[in-house]
């Protein structure tokens, strides 16, 4: 058994940086943006102190940072980058390219509101708007989970040969100081093997990427990409089990919390999960049978697991700290789609709660849950924030 | 659970004060969750730091609705801002001001302690950096006894002038514990 890691007081961003140090990427192309910048700052501290050896490339934009990340990854080295909000959106074109090139980059994204108007608040719309770009997406509840998930993401990304995002929210996680138990260097070394891809860009080998292809080749390539994504759920579960065996902390790809005999299950992602745990505990102590479903892996969406876990549940209430005008909350949409056609599928209340970073307390969630138990759900998301 | 809100303006060190307090309670072996929010990310705009302390892991991630104490770095924040919206009869309001607590009676908060942190900081060659003094004052007014740890944590977390910060912190602690109001 490897030595236990140190326990430090860290904010969520620095918890990611410590995991990046353990993963030891060779190239880190970045462009700073609030509230991501502390991730980069801590990494450059590690470099200055000689605790890390990587090439940090400060690019002229996020688009260029992702372009550099792709090419570095294709050269056969482990690559990390981080961004947020507008920066993630500027990368959009290159995000598609990264998955198409099968470059297993790991990127931290700190959820922040999108302009206009301007803000720095926790809201998941930035990363959820990238749900169709072929990246694995993990949503984290706290700094500990962000630390552990960064290592998980490298492992799964490099097995599936797909890029992965590790996502947490501005302030509530990114700038929240709390105790984090680090994975030890010995544990990390046994968990994450060196990155050694079958193919890489090297003038001595003479491989190339991104050539013009025929329609059939393009379709075959997209199908391969889809199959790789479909395989992620199993890889992610295995990687999670092994991490739990090693460090004693496991998360699953979805988590059920106190769902036994629940009349209502609250479904949510990210930092709202912690607040919802308090609400569930209080409701249970008041005799109201409410449980919680936390969706950690959002891409690929764990539809099979969600169908199993929600089978027989009388009602579901989704809390979305995100919003797509015209369709509503993203998790609400995905859950409805996952449960469609299931015999006895539960009716779902879709609540927009915490959009723009508005504060949602345990008391507010309790009130929403009591309301959802008494009301008929609407087909569309309902504003409750 | 203990809940504190620290309100200042960008550049005054309110976020750092929250971090020092978080480190203090963490080293004491308690569970903490502290974060700062800032709207403008620039000097002079309101910055709020929230700190929760408990004996079990803290899971909720939302604004503090019922603070045990509010530390106000700048009394100009008290007028026309939502600093006091969460204050209840039990809330302690610690204000950095040259004026005595009675001056703030109109705020309607029962427990107000005023401390001239600016003068204390200045007397310890800290210029306008009042955060170490106010950290000490908050723990003093709560009569929080672990002064040895406070001394250690402030020294460890001071980027410069560790001895001066410790001295200012302990003076803030002493005056606040005696009821505040070190006023000329």
């Amino acid at each position: 058994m490897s030595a236990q890691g140190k326990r430090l007081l860290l904010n969520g961003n620095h918890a990611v940086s410590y995991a990046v140090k353990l993963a030891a990427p060779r190239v880190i192309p970045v462009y700073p943006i609030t509230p991501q910048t502390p991730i980069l700052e801590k990494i450059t501290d590690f470099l200055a102190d000689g605790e890390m050896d990587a090439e940090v490339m400060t690019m002229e934009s996020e688009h260029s940072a992702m372009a550099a990340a792709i090419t570095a990854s294709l050269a056969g080295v482990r690559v990390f980058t981080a961004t947020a909000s507008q920066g993630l959106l500027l990368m959009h074109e290159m995000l598609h390219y990264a998955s198409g090139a099968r470059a297993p980059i790991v990127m931290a994204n700190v959820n922040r509101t999108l302009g206009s108007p301007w803000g720095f608040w926790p809201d998941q719309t930035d990363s959820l708007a990238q749900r169709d770009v072929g990246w694995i997406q993990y949503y984290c509840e706290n700094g500990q989970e962000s630390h552990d998930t960064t290592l998980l993401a490298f492992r799964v990304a490099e097995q599936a040969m797909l890029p992965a995002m590790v996502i947490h929210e501005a302030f509530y996680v990114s700038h929240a100081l709390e105790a984090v138990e680090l994975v030890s260097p010995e544990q990390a070394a046994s968990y994450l093997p060196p990155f050694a891809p079958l193919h890489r860009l090297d003038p001595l080998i003479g491989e190339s990427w991104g050539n013009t292809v025929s329609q059939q080749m393009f379709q075959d390539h997209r199908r391969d990409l889809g199959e790789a994504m479909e395989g992620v759920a199993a890889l992610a579960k295995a990687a999670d089990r092994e991490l739990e065996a090693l460090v004693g902390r496991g998360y699953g790809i979805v988590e059920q919390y106190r769902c036994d005999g629940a009349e209502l299950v609250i479904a949510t992602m990210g930092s709202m999960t912690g607040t919802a745990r308090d609400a569930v505990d209080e409701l249970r102590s008041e005799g109201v049978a409410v449980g919680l479903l936390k969706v950690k892996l959002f891409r690929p969406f764990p539809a099979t697991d969600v169908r199993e876990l929600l089978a027989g549940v009388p009602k579901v209430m989704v809390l979305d700290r995100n919003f797509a005008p015209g369709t509503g909350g993203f998790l609400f949409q995905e859950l409805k789609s996952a449960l469609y056609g299931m015999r006895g599928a539960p009716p779902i209340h879709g609540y927009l709660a915490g959009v723009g970073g508005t504060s949602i307390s345990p008391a507010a969630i309790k009130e929403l849950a009591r309301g959802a138990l008494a009301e008929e759900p609407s087909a569309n998301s309902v504003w409750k924030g | 659970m203990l809940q504190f809100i620290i309100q200042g303006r960008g550049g005054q060190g309110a976020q750092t004060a929250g971090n020092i307090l978080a480190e203090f309670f963490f080293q004491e072996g308690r569970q903490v969750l502290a974060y700062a929010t800032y709207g403008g990310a620039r000097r002079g705009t309101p910055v709020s730091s929230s700190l929760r302390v408990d004996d079990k892991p803290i899971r909720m991630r939302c604004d503090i609705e019922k603070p045990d104490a509010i530390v106000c770095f700048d009394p100009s924040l008290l007028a026309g801002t939502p600093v006091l919206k969460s204050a209840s009869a039990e809330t302690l309001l610690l204000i950095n001001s040259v004026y005595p607590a009675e001056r703030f009676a109109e705020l309607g908060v029962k427990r107000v302690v005023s401390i001239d942190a600016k003068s204390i900081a200045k007397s310890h060659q800290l210029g306008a950096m009042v955060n170490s003094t106010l950290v000490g004052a908050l723990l003093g007014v709560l009569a929080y006894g672990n002064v040895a740890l406070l001394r250690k944590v402030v020294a460890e977390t001071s980027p410069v002038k560790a001895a001066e910060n410790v001295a200012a912190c302990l003076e803030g602690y002493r005056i606040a514990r005696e009821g505040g109001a070190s006023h000329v």
Side-chain angles (χ1 to χ4, degrees):
Chain A
M1 187 71 186
S2 303
Q4 284 296 104
K6 286 182 195 161
R7 190 168 177 272
L8 301 177
L9 184 68
L10 295 178
N11 66 43
N13 278 345
H14 289 173
V16 169
S17 310
Y18 273 89
V20 172
K21 183 170 80 164
L22 292 167
R26 288 278 303 279
V27 180
I28 305 175
V30 283
Y31 190 84
I33 181 169
T34 301
Q36 169 279 119
T37 309
I39 298 176
L40 170 60
E41 288 171 342
K42 195 53 147 180
I43 287 172
T44 54
D45 280 350
F46 292 145
L47 291 167
D49 294 342
E51 296 177 37
M52 251 183 102
D53 181 20
E55 184 173 350
V56 170
M57 304 170 68
T58 51
M59 308 302 290
E60 73 274 23
S61 76
E62 287 90 351
H63 188 280
S64 299
M66 185 46 62
I70 294 165
T71 42
S73 177
L74 296 183
V77 297
R78 185 168 286 158
V79 177
F80 174 79
T81 186
T83 192
S85 187
Q86 312 293 136
L88 181 66
L89 266 61
L90 188 55
M91 288 179 177
H92 180 74
E93 177 193 359
M94 290 289 109
L95 296 179
H96 281 281
Y97 204 102
S99 58
R102 306 296 298 271
I105 300 156
V106 170
M107 173 163 67
N109 182 69
V110 183
N111 288 134
R112 170 189 147 188
T113 47
L114 295 166
S116 173
W118 211 235
F120 299 86
W121 311 120
D123 183 310
Q124 299 162 326
T125 307
D126 58 356
S127 55
L128 288 168
Q130 313 306 314
R131 63 182 163 177
D132 298 331
V133 298
W135 283 58
I136 298 162
Q137 288 198 350
Y138 279 116
Y139 286 80
C140 300
E141 177 180 345
N142 53 41
Q144 182 71 64
E145 188 175 2
S146 296
H147 177 75
D148 296 334
T149 303
T150 302
L151 283 174
L152 259 173
F154 274 110
R155 175 147 165 166
V156 174
E158 290 169 9
Q159 286 176 337
M161 291 303 282
L162 286 171
M165 283 182 214
V166 177
I167 299 154
H168 63 210
E169 287 147 72
F171 300 121
Y172 285 141
V173 181
S174 72
H175 285 57
L177 275 174
E178 56 192 319
V180 174
E181 188 177 308
L182 301 181
V183 175
S184 74
E186 297 76 21
Q187 289 168 333
S190 73
Y191 183 71
L192 194 61
F195 178 50
L198 277 175
H199 300 281
R200 63 190 158 91
L201 286 176
D202 183 338
L204 296 175
I205 301 172
E207 295 203 36
S208 66
W209 255 264
N211 296 313
T212 307
V213 295
S214 69
Q215 299 96 319
Q216 190 60 48
M217 289 163 80
F218 195 93
Q219 178 174 289
D220 291 349
H221 185 73
R222 294 295 284 176
R223 184 177 294 169
D224 287 348
L225 184 59
E227 283 175 8
M229 191 57 108
E230 279 172 25
V232 164
L235 293 173
K237 283 181 190 175
D240 182 73
R241 277 193 300 269
E242 288 184 39
L243 186 72
E244 183 169 15
L246 194 66
V247 304
R249 294 182 298 273
Y251 304 92
I253 59 173
V254 288
E255 180 200 339
Q256 269 182 310
Y257 180 73
R258 303 194 73 174
C259 285
D260 284 352
E263 292 296 312
L264 173 82
V265 168
I266 302 167
T268 193
M269 304 196 294
S271 77
M272 188 82 76
T273 315
T275 313
R277 288 182 202 276
D278 280 355
V280 165
D281 284 359
E282 289 178 27
L283 284 166
R284 284 277 181 177
S285 71
E286 293 161 18
V288 186
V290 171
L292 171 69
L293 182 78
K294 166 183 171 177
V295 177
K296 173 181 174 65
L297 183 69
F298 184 80
R299 272 295 175 273
F301 194 77
T304 309
D305 299 77
V306 163
R307 285 171 79 104
E308 278 174 23
L309 297 175
L310 293 180
V313 168
K315 221 173 207 188
V316 174
M317 173 180 100
V318 180
L319 300 177
D320 269 307
R321 190 189 287 280
N322 56 72
F323 175 58
T327 46
F330 287 79
L331 183 58
F332 180 46
Q333 300 166 35
E334 299 271 344
L335 271 180
K336 281 195 293 187
S337 169
L339 297 183
Y340 181 76
M342 186 171 99
R343 192 184 296 272
I348 310 180
H349 290 270
Y351 291 161
L352 298 164
V355 174
T358 53
S359 180
I360 302 293
S361 65
I365 295 177
K366 285 169 67 181
E367 194 179 323
L368 291 176
R370 288 182 189 279
L373 278 166
E375 292 163 18
E376 286 302 308
S378 138
N380 300 315
S381 288
V382 180
W383 285 95
K384 294 284 187 179
Chain B
M1 188 189 289
L2 282 171
Q3 304 189 97
F4 304 119
I5 295 174
I6 302 165
Q7 188 75 40
R9 294 188 179 278
Q12 283 187 315
Q15 186 178 357
T16 305
N19 293 352
I20 296 169
L21 285 163
E23 187 69 38
F24 171 83
F25 288 111
F26 173 71
Q27 290 201 21
E28 205 181 38
R30 310 193 70 187
Q31 302 282 345
V32 297
L33 185 62
Y35 65 89
T37 55
Y38 35 85
R42 58 183 182 265
R43 283 181 183 267
T45 53
V47 173
S48 178
S49 180
S50 303
L51 172 66
R52 291 186 169 98
V53 182
D54 207 347
D55 294 323
K56 58 181 194 300
I58 299 159
R59 304 181 297 185
M60 70 170 87
R61 311 225 165 210
C62 53
D63 290 351
I64 290 175
E65 291 178 346
K66 288 178 183 162
D68 296 283
I70 298 171
V71 182
C72 184
F73 274 51
D74 183 343
S76 71
L77 287 164
L78 294 168
T81 64
V83 175
L84 292 178
K85 72 172 192 280
S86 57
S88 68
E90 292 79 38
T91 305
L92 166 77
L93 178 61
L94 176 65
I95 304 176
N96 167 31
S97 173
V98 294
Y99 299 113
E102 298 75 52
R103 176 81 170 230
F104 302 97
E106 68 204 31
L107 295 172
V109 180
K110 280 186 188 164
R111 294 180 65 203
V112 180
V113 174
S114 164
I115 183 161
D116 188 2
K118 195 173 169 186
S119 295
I120 295 171
K122 204 172 172 187
S123 73
H124 290 281
Q125 291 78 51
L126 292 170
M129 291 313 294
V130 294
N131 51 11
S132 50
T133 306
L134 287 170
V135 163
L138 175 63
L139 293 176
V141 79
L142 295 170
Y144 212 91
N146 201 343
V147 178
L149 182 62
L150 179 60
R151 188 190 290 268
K152 172 179 179 283
V153 167
V154 172
E156 284 172 0
T157 52
S158 297
V160 291
K161 297 190 177 178
E164 290 87 344
N165 274 303
V166 169
C169 177
L170 294 181
E171 188 172 344
Y173 181 92
R174 181 181 58 76
I175 291 168
R177 188 153 188 179
E178 290 164 3
S182 164
H183 301 291
V184 288

